[in-house]
């Protein structure tokens, strides 16, 4: 599906920022089938030589020993903060009907926790080590505090500290970091959070949590705003960023021209903001608002349009705004 949503968003990027140098890199399943590796050192070097990456959903090769390409990129470039914003402005597009508008961001730790990669299966036992470091907890809490400061909001630390010692560690460090930054801080157990996020998403603004909890809550949150096709994300390190829609490669609908480009376009918007191109970012945001208002939408959110038709409607809207 990356082959469909990435070009749609890239067309808009080319139009808005003609001086950007775009370097295409093919990684993932297609490459693995052709040459036996999904991403090689040359790809990594090429990627590392760029300012940031715009990433489309890819399929991890069906080999149990094969580590996800995406996880490798996150680790390789130390992209420790996964930022996933969810907004509902009142224009209804999903089966789920929120009571009030809401806007919250999940700030997910992206390199540690149960994704440590330290694991083992023996005949009788399987273990995965959940590793949290002070550095990792502090830096993700700092990112959450920075967003909360911009939005004049509090942070909510989500954990399972009633069961997991590692989460007592996480929760305490996050609370200390918030206090140092003068950011109001509340906390919630992850199971309760799943419940409350569905019932009253408007109560939350910046949710900070560990890797797997953030992964799960972000799919849950996607269901509140029309589905995974709507959701963008930024994977940020201190100097590098990777921007990608939250959805996966969806092999069941890939190639049919009906992939929702909105998640990818909003990821491009996040990338433009990170690059300081606020005017172009705002135009992308408004173009998405426009197709939602006019209901030029793909089938996953109740429309009948194709990926390219939605993208063309956005491009036309942006052209009109600029002349
Ligand atoms: C996500 C995805 C990835 C994750 C997978 C594809 C490895 O679910 O970005 O949310 O678990 O982080
Ligand atoms: Mg996920």
């Amino acid at each position: 599906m990356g082959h469909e949503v990435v070009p749609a968003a890239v067309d808009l990027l080319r139009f808005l920022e003609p001086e950007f140098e775009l370097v295409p890199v093919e990684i993932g399943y297609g490459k693995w089938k052709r040459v036996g590796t999904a991403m090689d050192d040359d790809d990594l070097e090429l990627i590392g030589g760029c300012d940031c990456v715009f990433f489309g959903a890819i399929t991890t090769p069906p080999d149990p020993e094969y580590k996800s390409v995406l996880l490798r990129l996150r680790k390789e470039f130390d992209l420790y903060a996964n930022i996933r914003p969810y907004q509902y402005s009142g224009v209804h597009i999903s089966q789920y009907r929120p009571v009030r508008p809401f806007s919250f961001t999940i700030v997910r730790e992206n390199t540690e926790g149960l994704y440590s990669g330290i694991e083992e299966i023996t005949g009788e036992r399987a273990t995965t080590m959940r590793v949290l470091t002070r550095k990792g907890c502090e830096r993700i809490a700092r990112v959450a505090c920075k967003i909360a400061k911009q939005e004049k909001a509090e942070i909510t630390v989500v954990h399972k500290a009633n069961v997991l010692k590692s989460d007592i560690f996480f929760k305490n460090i996050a609370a200390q970091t918030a206090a140092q930054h003068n950011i109001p801080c509340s906390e919630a157990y992850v199971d309760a959070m799943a419940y409350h996020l569905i019932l009253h998403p408007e109560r939350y603004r910046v949710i900070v949590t560990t890797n797997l909890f953030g992964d799960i809550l972000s799919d849950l949150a996607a269901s509140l705003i029309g589905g995974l096709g709507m959701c963008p994300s930024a994977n940020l390190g201190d100097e590098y960023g990777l921007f990608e829609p939250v959805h996966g490669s969806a092999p069941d609908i890939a190639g049919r021209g009906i992939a929702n480009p909105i998640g990818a376009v909003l990821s491009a918007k996040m990338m433009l903001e990170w690059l300081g191109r606020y005017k172009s970012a705002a135009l992308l945001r408004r173009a998405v608002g426009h197709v939602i208002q006019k209901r030029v939408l793909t089938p996953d959110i109740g429309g009948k349009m194709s990926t390219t038709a939605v993208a063309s409607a956005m491009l036309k809207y942006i052209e009109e705004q600029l002349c």
Side-chain angles (χ1 to χ4, degrees):
M1 199 192 240
H3 289 298
E4 296 163 70
V5 297
V6 168
V10 163
D11 279 352
L12 299 176
L13 277 174
R14 274 192 214 284
F15 180 80
L16 286 165
E17 300 289 349
E19 76 283 17
F20 276 17
E21 188 192 345
L22 304 176
V23 181
V25 183
E26 195 210 349
I27 53 180
Y29 186 74
K31 172 158 181 155
W32 175 77
K33 270 188 102 174
R34 264 200 343 269
V35 300
T37 167
M39 177 169 69
D40 55 31
D41 291 345
D42 289 347
D43 296 329
L44 277 174
E45 206 183 308
L46 201 55
I47 293 170
C50 297
D51 296 303
C52 55
V53 189
F54 185 64
F55 184 84
I58 62 167
T59 307
T60 294
D63 171 349
E65 284 309 307
Y66 218 94
K67 292 271 180 258
S68 156
V69 167
L70 178 56
L71 296 187
R72 188 155 166 227
L73 283 170
R74 287 174 181 164
K75 274 245 158 87
E76 199 79 35
F77 295 102
D78 200 19
L79 306 173
Y80 61 86
N82 195 324
I83 317 290
R84 299 185 160 180
Y86 298 86
Q87 272 168 20
Y88 170 68
S89 62
V91 181
H92 187 67
I93 47 167
S94 68
Q95 289 162 324
Y96 172 91
R97 190 174 279 273
V99 181
R100 286 175 216 80
F102 60 79
S103 169
F104 64 86
T105 302
I106 295 180
V107 179
R108 163 187 174 191
E109 203 295 319
N110 219 16
T111 50
E112 309 192 323
L114 276 166
Y115 286 59
S116 68
I118 306 172
E119 46 191 359
E120 182 186 48
I121 302 180
T122 62
E124 301 305 317
R125 214 168 100 112
T127 46
T128 297
M129 178 111 74
R130 188 177 200 252
V131 181
L132 301 185
T133 64
R134 177 170 295 281
K135 177 181 164 202
C137 297
E138 274 172 1
R139 64 185 186 174
I140 197 65
R142 271 200 303 274
V143 171
C145 288
K146 195 172 155 205
I147 297 173
K149 190 168 196 166
Q150 280 160 4
E151 302 201 354
K152 299 190 175 41
E154 64 162 25
I155 64 167
T156 306
V157 183
V158 172
H159 57 76
K160 189 72 184 172
N162 52 342
V163 179
L164 304 174
K165 276 200 176 146
S166 49
D167 261 357
I168 298 177
F169 182 82
F170 173 68
K171 169 185 108 149
N172 289 343
I173 294 175
Q176 279 158 15
T177 309
Q180 280 159 9
H181 290 77
N182 284 321
I183 298 294
C185 171
S186 63
E187 53 171 292
Y189 292 130
V190 63
D191 47 349
M193 191 66 198
Y195 178 79
H196 288 294
L197 208 50
I198 290 177
L199 287 180
H200 19 248
E202 72 284 353
R203 281 193 194 163
Y204 305 99
R205 298 295 303 285
V206 181
I207 293 166
V208 59
T209 191
T210 49
N211 208 340
L212 185 64
F213 293 162
D215 179 45
I216 297 167
L217 287 180
S218 56
D219 277 23
L220 181 151
S223 74
L224 307 177
I225 60 160
L228 283 164
M230 300 293 291
C231 306
S233 74
N235 297 255
L236 303 180
D238 288 329
E239 263 133 52
Y240 203 78
L242 179 152
F243 301 82
E244 49 151 356
V246 174
H247 64 72
S249 57
D252 51 331
I253 65 156
R256 287 168 50 196
I258 53 166
N260 187 348
I262 291 181
V265 171
L266 290 176
S267 303
K269 172 213 164 237
M270 292 180 86
M271 183 174 82
L272 288 168
E273 278 168 350
W274 185 78
L275 290 165
R277 307 289 179 133
Y278 298 105
K279 199 172 150 224
S280 298
L283 277 166
L284 282 188
R285 164 79 259 173
R286 282 163 49 205
V288 169
H290 170 77
V291 293
I292 293 174
Q293 280 288 347
K294 297 281 176 207
R295 306 205 83 76
V296 183
L297 304 172
T298 45
D300 55 309
I301 45 171
K304 290 196 171 66
M305 299 308 215
S306 65
T307 312
T308 44
V310 178
S312 307
M314 290 192 211
L315 185 59
K316 187 159 168 265
Y317 172 85
I318 292 171
E319 278 167 357
E320 282 163 13
Q321 299 300 302
L322 290 175
C323 67

